Amino acid sequence: MTSQSSLSFTSFVKNEINDYKALFSAIPSITVTLFCVSVVVMNLMASKAVISTPYLTATGGLLISWAPFLCMDVVSKHFGPKAATKLNIIGLLVNLACVALFEIVSLIQIDTTGAKADYSAFNSVYRCTWFVLVASSVAFVLSGVVNNFLNYGIGKLFKKNPDGKIAYMTRCYISTFVGQYVDNALFLALLYLVFLPSVANIHASSPLAVFGGALLGSIMELITEVIFSPLGYSVTLKWKANSVGKEYFLYCEQHKSA
């Protein structure tokens, strides 16, 4: 029984690896690059608060968090929510790898001109506090799942013209607003209500400030979605017209019938 379970798990892992390979051979590289870069930058900027009042709390990551969601919306529309979630996980792994590299570099101290160089400015920017990383990672993955499957589910409601502009805008506006609220609320709640009071001994923000900040963030991201969603819609039309990812769709069909 154990060997059978082990064989089943090994087969599952191999299938997942093959699926990832097929998917990321199909998604245009510029989309994957934009997604991964924006995720890394977003998490770096999340270390700094840009709004801190009794009623609102927000970090710098708010300024660029629209970019990953835009990419996820496009991928979810064309390849499906599972594919968009896989993109989400790859973005998380890339960010974790960058954090590890930044940590290694920040730990290296060398002497220059006979004196120990002061890299405190570099270290303060690129070293990531573990609880910021945990909070942002948990929020990013869970909000991505919510965004992707909500986007897909709303799209299913438009049976007459699922590829129309109204259908695309509706699914993106709603999923982005809800997904961004989940992202901001989870991140701010974990950071300001859980980790900072217990680990850093910093007075907790009020729940009103946390969830008010999450609402502010989701509204701002909705505004950016309104601005950039025409670009996303244009991309999905070009992908469909050029049969982008046809090899991946064929791969999925073959494995369904296997």
Side-chain angles (χ1 to χ4, degrees):
M1 190 73 176
T2 304
S3 60
Q4 186 177 5
S5 299
S6 177
L7 183 63
S8 177
F9 177 74
T10 302
S11 177
F12 169 78
V13 171
K14 287 183 178 178
N15 287 336
E16 283 297 298
I17 292 174
N18 290 333
D19 189 85
Y20 268 92
K21 288 180 179 179
L23 176 62
F24 285 93
S25 295
I27 301 176
S29 58
I30 189 170
T31 302
V32 179
T33 302
L34 173 62
F35 181 80
C36 292
V37 170
S38 61
V39 168
V40 173
V41 173
M42 179 179 68
N43 282 277
L44 281 173
M45 295 171 68
S47 299
K48 181 179 180 179
V50 293
I51 300 175
S52 183
T53 73
Y55 306 103
L56 291 174
T57 298
T59 69
L62 179 67
L63 301 177
I64 197 173
S65 58
W66 58 268
F69 277 79
L70 179 67
C71 294
M72 283 190 288
D73 288 341
V74 171
V75 172
S76 182
K77 171 65 178 70
H78 190 77
F79 291 96
K82 290 184 179 179
T85 302
K86 289 180 185 293
L87 176 66
N88 191 260
I89 293 172
I90 288 295
L92 173 65
L93 294 177
V94 169
N95 182 62
L96 292 176
C98 289
V99 168
L101 289 172
F102 289 147
E103 189 69 20
I104 292 171
V105 172
S106 65
L107 290 174
I108 298 174
Q109 298 290 337
I110 62 171
D111 291 340
T112 58
T113 65
K116 192 173 184 179
D118 182 10
Y119 294 108
S120 57
F122 176 93
N123 295 344
S124 65
V125 172
Y126 291 103
R127 293 194 72 175
C128 183
T129 309
W130 69 266
F131 48 80
V132 174
L133 178 63
V134 170
S136 63
S137 298
V138 170
F140 180 69
V141 171
L142 293 181
S143 65
V145 173
V146 170
N147 178 84
N148 299 333
F149 283 90
L150 182 59
N151 185 296
Y152 177 78
I154 294 171
K156 284 293 185 181
L157 299 177
F158 292 85
K159 299 184 183 297
K160 290 185 177 180
N161 189 15
D163 297 325
K165 191 171 185 177
I166 293 177
Y168 181 83
M169 299 305 175
T170 301
R171 64 193 287 172
C172 290
Y173 292 169
I174 296 175
S175 64
T176 294
F177 182 82
V178 175
Q180 284 287 359
Y181 186 82
V182 171
D183 186 19
N184 296 327
L186 278 175
F187 174 71
L188 294 174
L190 287 171
L191 185 61
Y192 289 100
L193 300 181
V194 178
F195 290 130
L196 288 178
S198 60
V199 178
N201 200 27
I202 295 175
H203 183 69
S205 299
S206 70
L208 178 62
V210 167
F211 295 107
L215 180 61
L216 171 67
S218 59
I219 292 173
M220 290 182 64
E221 298 305 333
L222 178 59
I223 293 172
T224 58
E225 183 68 35
V226 171
I227 295 171
F228 291 104
S229 56
L231 172 62
Y233 179 62
S234 175
V235 169
T236 60
L237 292 179
K238 288 180 180 179
W239 284 6
K240 185 172 183 179
N242 296 327
S243 300
V244 171
K246 60 182 179 181
E247 296 85 359
Y248 176 69
F249 296 131
L250 179 61
Y251 167 86
C252 291
E253 287 298 324
Q254 289 174 343
H255 280 72
K256 280 182 182 177
S257 59

